[in-house]
Amino acid sequence: MDPKRILLIRLDRIGDVILSTPAIKALRDKLPDSYIAFMVGPHAYELVKDNPYLNEVIIYDKNSAQRSFIASFKFARELRKKKFDMAIAFHPTLRSHLIPFIAGIPRRIGYDRKGSIFLTEKVIHEKEQGEFHEAEYVLKMLEVLGVKSSDKTLYLKVNEDSLKKIKEEFLNLGINESKKIVAIHPGASSVSKKWPIERFAEIADYIVKNFNVKIALVAGKSDAEHAKKIYKYLKSDQSNIIDLAGKTTLGELAA
């Protein structure tokens, strides 16, 4: 029997949340009448709150409000009231597997890693082999339900208010919609993932010189100061850089 109330879980990075959107559509196409909710961290909420294939977005804040075990336990008990009959954890973490168990969700699907003892159905984790794109791995997980799709089209709705604000900001800078812009994001979640800032400056100089574009410097608030170090290494005119580092919401960044 098809599940009527489904909880999808993805608590990791915003990029991976977006890469899970093809699976949301594939699931909706297969189960058009089911209630589908998506549990994400607060950092990803703005990216999925307007997704038309979802009935609900649930915020789980593992770094603050639900950081402690007691807070997570209370969250799971509240989740029980929603009476989900199936949960799918797209990324293997102990919390992603334990919470549906505490919430009493009868069918729990996820990878055979990190607390998989709390799952009822385990998918072999082979991502370290790198044979597929993350969007494909997420879609493959749905094959447990007989859902097969090769459509990897990502979905991200741009909020009209965000679009209006960015257009106004660009117009104030004398940039109309015919001007081409290249965004550079020098930040990353760890030092090991950060390309040297002088390399970003070098590529910015090359792009400005060869393609007659403006560079939009973007970053989260925690990476803003790091991103602005690019000015130290620039050889081209700094007026070609639009400094948006730490100044946009995720919705505005998408716009």
Side-chain angles (χ1 to χ4, degrees):
M1 190 170 77
D2 290 336
K4 298 300 182 185
R5 295 182 61 82
I6 305 166
L7 176 66
L8 307 177
I9 303 172
R10 183 108 217 193
L11 302 176
D12 53 335
R13 300 172 182 86
I14 57 176
D16 291 314
V17 169
I18 294 174
L19 291 174
S20 299
T21 56
I24 297 172
K25 182 181 184 299
L27 195 60
R28 172 59 69 200
D29 289 343
K30 176 71 173 181
L31 303 169
D33 299 322
S34 293
Y35 188 94
I36 303 175
F38 197 15
M39 190 169 101
V40 299
H43 55 281
Y45 174 74
E46 193 170 358
L47 302 175
V48 292
K49 67 182 179 70
D50 295 319
N51 190 301
Y53 308 115
L54 293 170
N55 297 99
E56 181 182 9
V57 177
I58 299 171
I59 297 176
Y60 174 79
D61 190 353
K62 64 179 181 180
N63 296 316
S64 184
Q66 282 84 39
R67 185 172 183 174
S68 70
F69 175 78
I70 293 176
S72 292
F73 183 82
K74 289 180 179 178
F75 175 89
R77 297 295 291 182
E78 285 297 310
L79 197 62
R80 179 184 287 263
K81 297 176 183 178
K82 294 182 180 290
K83 299 184 183 301
F84 289 109
D85 46 27
M86 185 177 73
I88 305 174
F90 288 140
H91 180 66
T93 68
L94 177 58
R95 290 171 186 254
S96 296
H97 296 162
L98 179 58
I99 288 172
F101 172 77
I102 297 174
I105 300 174
R107 191 176 181 187
R108 304 177 299 278
I109 302 169
Y111 288 110
D112 59 346
R113 294 183 64 188
K114 298 182 179 180
S116 62
I117 189 175
F118 299 110
L119 301 173
T120 58
E121 295 168 66
K122 303 172 187 179
V123 176
I124 298 174
H125 188 280
E126 298 176 324
K127 290 186 180 183
E128 65 276 3
Q129 297 179 17
E131 293 185 12
F132 301 97
H133 188 276
E134 177 62 21
E136 293 175 295
Y137 279 118
V138 178
L139 284 169
K140 283 173 68 68
M141 179 168 277
L142 298 183
E143 292 180 6
V144 175
L145 308 175
V147 178
K148 293 187 178 183
S149 174
S150 59
D151 184 0
K152 293 176 287 184
T153 305
L154 308 181
Y155 184 88
L156 176 59
K157 183 176 180 180
V158 178
N159 181 279
E160 287 298 323
D161 290 337
S162 296
L163 193 60
K164 181 181 178 182
K165 181 177 178 181
I166 291 300
K167 283 183 176 180
E168 289 176 351
E169 178 125 3
F170 282 173
L171 286 174
N172 289 336
L173 293 169
I175 301 170
N176 59 37
E177 291 187 30
S178 65
K179 184 68 176 178
K180 292 182 179 179
I181 296 172
V182 174
I184 288 184
H185 187 297
S189 58
S190 64
V191 174
S192 63
K193 295 180 179 181
K194 287 183 179 178
W195 203 37
I197 196 71
E198 57 267 31
R199 300 286 181 85
F200 279 109
E202 185 178 347
I203 198 81
D205 286 332
Y206 178 85
I207 292 170
V208 167
K209 179 182 178 181
N210 291 280
F211 298 101
N212 187 31
V213 300
K214 292 280 189 180
I215 299 291
L217 186 64
V218 299
K221 289 184 179 179
S222 61
D223 273 326
E225 291 306 312
H226 171 74
K228 291 175 184 179
K229 290 178 183 178
I230 196 171
Y231 289 111
K232 178 181 176 181
Y233 301 97
L234 281 176
K235 294 179 181 178
S236 56
D237 190 337
Q238 293 187 4
S239 65
N240 290 308
I241 302 288
I242 306 166
D243 182 13
L244 298 178
K247 299 177 181 179
T248 65
T249 64
L250 275 177
E252 290 162 3
L253 178 59

